[in-house]
Amino acid sequence: MHPPGHPTSTRLDVLDHETFAVNSYLISGSQDAVLVDGQFTRGDAEKVVAMVKESQKTLRAIFLTHAHPDHYLGLDVIASAFPGVPIQATSEVVADFQAKGPAALASAKTNFGAAAIADKLATVTAVDGDTLTIEGTALRIVKYQDGESATAAALYGPDQKLLVAGDLVYNRAYLWLAECKLDAWTKNLQGLRSLGPIEKVYPGHGAAEATPAAIDENIAYLGAAATILQTAPS
């Protein structure tokens, strides 16, 4: 866990660890905070709970960027520690979560052991509107279709010139290519240019924080992967 020392009233803390190496971010003001993404295993989710409690901030909401189980299976553990705090996502991500979550939970319990995985799925509801607000600071919810996952969202802070990217951006980590559409993911990354100035990127996987160079590195990675997959003999 380490704060990146962002020079505005909004601070992001990141939890880095082994296993699935998912990044959970605590976006905080002077008193309140929003958590982004919720981990895979029970143990890692408990580390997120500790991070939030150590911050001494009041958790107002939890935001799920996309419906991949490494980002949501730990959410029920976090929800139990902070009862009444809403877990929110875009309506598209909620639908994807509801369609795939039960099978993902059952598979994880089989493959990793019931003790390592939360007992049940958390309740995730659709966020109202297209922004998250923390103590008057608005973060724009940016929706994406296809790519690393079927549907996803990132958070863009125009005042802070930052992007909490979810798995839209990886930082020096192997990109998850099993589900993605390479062309769509590339277009999504290229579309980040139209959001406005970005100086700091907080990726779904890999070290945080990253510079916008990570976006170009991901585009190059996907281009190389496309060439390899098109020319591979099997």
Side-chain angles (χ1 to χ4, degrees):
M1 290 176 284
H2 54 88
H6 200 276
T8 72
S9 60
T10 300
R11 193 185 78 245
L12 291 89
D13 292 331
V14 58
L15 177 72
D16 294 315
H17 51 81
E18 297 179 354
T19 69
F20 274 77
V22 181
N23 290 334
S24 288
Y25 294 98
L26 189 66
I27 309 174
S28 60
S30 60
Q31 295 180 320
D32 298 337
V34 170
L35 179 69
V36 181
D37 286 336
Q39 301 299 312
F40 184 84
T41 67
R42 182 188 300 274
D44 288 337
E46 289 171 348
K47 293 177 184 178
V48 172
V49 170
M51 176 180 73
V52 176
K53 290 183 176 180
E54 288 170 5
S55 76
Q56 299 185 338
K57 307 296 183 181
T58 300
L59 189 62
R60 296 298 184 185
I62 301 168
F63 186 76
L64 176 64
T65 58
H66 65 292
H68 276 171
D70 54 332
H71 289 254
Y72 67 69
L73 284 185
L75 284 174
D76 189 64
V77 174
I78 300 170
S80 297
F82 302 100
V85 174
I87 303 174
Q88 300 174 312
T90 66
S91 58
E92 295 86 352
V93 170
V94 171
D96 198 29
F97 167 79
Q98 292 175 340
K100 299 173 182 176
L105 177 64
S107 175
K109 285 182 174 294
T110 297
N111 292 313
F112 294 89
I117 304 299
D119 295 331
K120 64 183 187 299
L121 294 173
T123 298
V124 182
T125 59
V127 66
D128 184 19
D130 58 2
T131 60
L132 290 180
T133 302
I134 307 170
E135 298 180 0
T137 297
L139 298 174
R140 177 183 165 194
I141 299 171
V142 186
K143 296 182 179 182
Y144 295 95
Q145 295 298 116
D146 294 322
E148 197 266 356
S149 58
T151 184
L155 299 176
Y156 174 61
D159 294 338
Q160 304 85 356
K161 300 178 182 179
L162 61 83
L163 179 74
V164 184
D167 283 4
L168 177 63
V169 179
Y170 285 48
N171 185 26
R172 302 298 177 93
Y174 292 111
L175 275 61
W176 175 255
L177 302 179
E179 184 178 338
C180 78
K181 298 177 181 178
L182 300 182
D183 290 343
W185 193 350
T186 299
K187 289 179 181 178
N188 289 341
L189 288 165
Q190 292 169 337
L192 293 177
R193 309 281 191 250
S194 65
L195 287 179
I198 297 174
E199 294 181 354
K200 296 183 180 181
V201 178
Y202 296 86
H205 296 270
E209 62 197 34
T211 70
I215 298 171
D216 296 324
E217 290 171 359
N218 280 215
I219 291 172
Y221 186 112
L222 291 169
T227 299
I228 291 169
L229 292 172
Q230 290 167 1
T231 58
S234 66

